[in-house]
Amino acid sequence: MIGCGSDEIPMDEPLIENPPIVESPNPETPTVDYRQEMRDFVIAIKDEAVGVKSNFLVIPQNGIELISENGMANGVLNTPYLDAIDAHGQEDLFYGQGGVNQMTANQRVNYLKAFLDRSKNEGKQILGTDYCNETGLVDDAINRHSETGYIGFAAPNKALSQIPIYPGTLVNENDGDVTSLNDVKNFLYLINGQEFSSKSEFINAVVSTNYDLLIMDAFFNDGSLFTATELDALKEKSNGGSRIIIAYMSIGEAENYRFYWKNEWDDNPPDWLAEENQNWPGNFKVKYWENSWQDVILDGNEAYLSKILNAGFDGVYLDLIDAFDYFESL
């Protein structure tokens, strides 16, 4: 079932002065700028969404290098991309890159922070998810995020299937209504409902918390889409305030348990479907720049984004933004 979509990231991230535009061995096949293609895809998602809901939020997870034209932290900022997004999600900044409770290497931390700080300086909230469940590590992760001006969440497992037991009292817990990202002081990342027997159990568990923002899957484990009525319930915090609800959506991989998956793809995959992610069975790399895949996300009332908008979510949390790494490495 659903878990954190990102692959493991090398401990020492190479500093690429000029990201490659990969040329095909076939001279009739055009070159592909994988990073710009991902930027353009995110921008298209934003444009489509705000045409329906003007304050709809778009938050990419990982792939922070896309804010820079040349892939360097001190490079010229890509303004159209930054204008299209409202915040950044970042995994494993302090804990989790090598596994739950594993500290991320300082070189990696510094590399990411150089980009994240530039984005923050442009007015973007930073939502950081660390993977740790030991009390001392949880405290350290949340404190380090706070010290950098980011908002931190310590996930107990990589499956993102549990509401943390610790800490018992949320950092900056408040009973006010949260109506914008500027109001958010804490968040819950809970996209896998495998530990809940029903939607009602899931909803009741979330409603008993006071998180300002919830990142969740638009669909429950049984494949049913959360309804507007159910979202209205989820938006109520236990203390009486309201929260923002963001829908998780992977755009760099296709998932064979999603509504859009066709059975014939198992034996006869479309051209845009690439190899299976060995870390997450059932997730397949996609040529995300191809129109046929983007239509799954964007085209018509049955598109993924339309379902999210029609259900009443406040925004999308886009995963596998860093899929460009995979294609650049081929």
Side-chain angles (χ1 to χ4, degrees):
M1 188 50 197
I2 302 163
C4 160
S6 296
D7 298 330
E8 292 297 322
I9 304 171
M11 295 294 284
D12 295 330
E13 184 76 13
L15 302 181
I16 302 175
E17 183 65 37
N18 291 297
I21 298 176
V22 179
E23 297 194 22
S24 169
N26 183 349
E28 297 181 358
T29 302
T31 59
V32 178
D33 184 341
Y34 296 116
R35 299 188 184 212
Q36 188 57 45
E37 292 289 352
M38 181 57 80
R39 292 188 191 103
D40 290 343
F41 194 9
V42 173
I43 291 169
I45 289 169
K46 181 68 169 187
D47 289 344
E48 182 73 19
V50 297
V52 177
K53 186 175 183 178
S54 61
N55 60 347
F56 194 78
L57 303 171
V58 171
I59 306 173
Q61 175 175 258
N62 303 328
I64 185 64
E65 294 90 346
L66 293 185
I67 69 169
S68 167
E69 291 281 1
N70 68 356
M72 300 289 287
N74 60 357
V76 175
L77 293 174
N78 187 285
T79 302
Y81 180 71
L82 278 167
D83 287 346
I85 64 177
D86 299 280
H88 279 291
Q90 178 61 54
E91 293 181 289
D92 309 327
L93 180 58
F94 300 115
Y95 291 94
Q97 191 200 348
V100 176
N101 294 325
Q102 298 298 306
M103 183 177 287
T104 300
N106 285 335
Q107 181 179 354
R108 177 68 178 163
V109 172
N110 293 334
Y111 171 83
L112 290 171
K113 283 181 64 181
F115 288 95
L116 293 168
D117 284 343
R118 288 200 75 189
S119 181
K120 179 177 174 292
N121 290 339
E122 293 297 313
K124 312 301 177 182
Q125 287 273 30
I126 308 300
L127 306 178
T129 300
D130 287 311
Y131 294 93
C132 53
N133 51 40
E134 296 178 4
T135 58
L137 303 185
V138 170
D139 288 340
D140 184 55
I142 292 175
N143 288 338
R144 291 174 74 181
H145 272 96
S146 180
E147 289 169 358
T148 55
Y150 309 161
I151 303 171
F153 172 69
N157 60 41
K158 286 277 188 175
L160 295 164
S161 63
Q162 296 176 350
I163 299 174
I165 298 173
Y166 181 86
T169 301
L170 296 180
V171 175
N172 298 320
E173 183 175 327
N174 71 91
D175 59 5
D177 290 338
V178 177
T179 59
S180 74
L181 284 174
N182 290 333
D183 300 326
V184 173
K185 307 300 180 187
N186 48 65
F187 74 98
L188 171 63
Y189 196 177
L190 184 68
I191 61 172
N192 191 331
Q194 66 184 15
E195 299 194 20
F196 302 92
S197 62
S198 65
K199 274 184 173 179
S200 294
E201 185 179 347
F202 177 92
I203 292 168
N204 290 337
V206 172
V207 171
S208 69
T209 73
N210 291 318
Y211 289 97
D212 289 341
L213 181 146
L214 168 65
I215 302 167
M216 60 177 283
D217 202 275
F219 298 82
F220 192 60
N221 284 37
D222 60 7
S224 62
L225 181 68
F226 280 88
T227 67
T229 299
E230 289 164 338
L231 288 182
D232 285 342
L234 283 163
K235 288 181 180 181
E236 294 298 320
K237 296 191 287 187
S238 177
N239 57 24
S242 64
R243 63 166 61 92
I244 292 173
I245 309 286
I246 305 293
Y248 171 95
M249 182 170 68
S250 176
I251 64 171
E253 288 184 350
E255 301 152 314
N256 66 6
Y257 42 82
R258 293 295 182 186
F259 69 92
Y260 56 72
W261 189 269
K262 301 183 187 303
N263 290 334
E264 58 262 32
W265 293 355
D266 293 334
D267 299 316
N268 186 27
D271 291 340
W272 50 262
L273 196 63
E275 70 175 357
E276 187 171 15
N277 184 337
Q278 297 305 306
N279 294 320
W280 297 99
N283 290 16
F284 294 80
K285 304 293 183 183
V286 293
K287 298 175 183 177
Y288 51 83
W289 57 94
E290 295 283 353
N291 289 336
S292 295
W293 168 246
Q294 294 195 10
D295 286 348
V296 171
I297 304 297
L298 292 170
D299 186 33
N301 224 27
E302 292 302 307
Y304 204 156
L305 182 62
S306 294
K307 290 180 181 293
I308 288 170
L309 282 161
N310 292 337
F313 284 91
D314 299 308
V316 283
Y317 197 73
L318 303 178
D319 200 13
L320 274 298
I321 294 296
D322 53 359
F324 57 81
D325 282 333
Y326 168 79
F327 288 100
E328 288 177 355
S329 70
L330 295 179

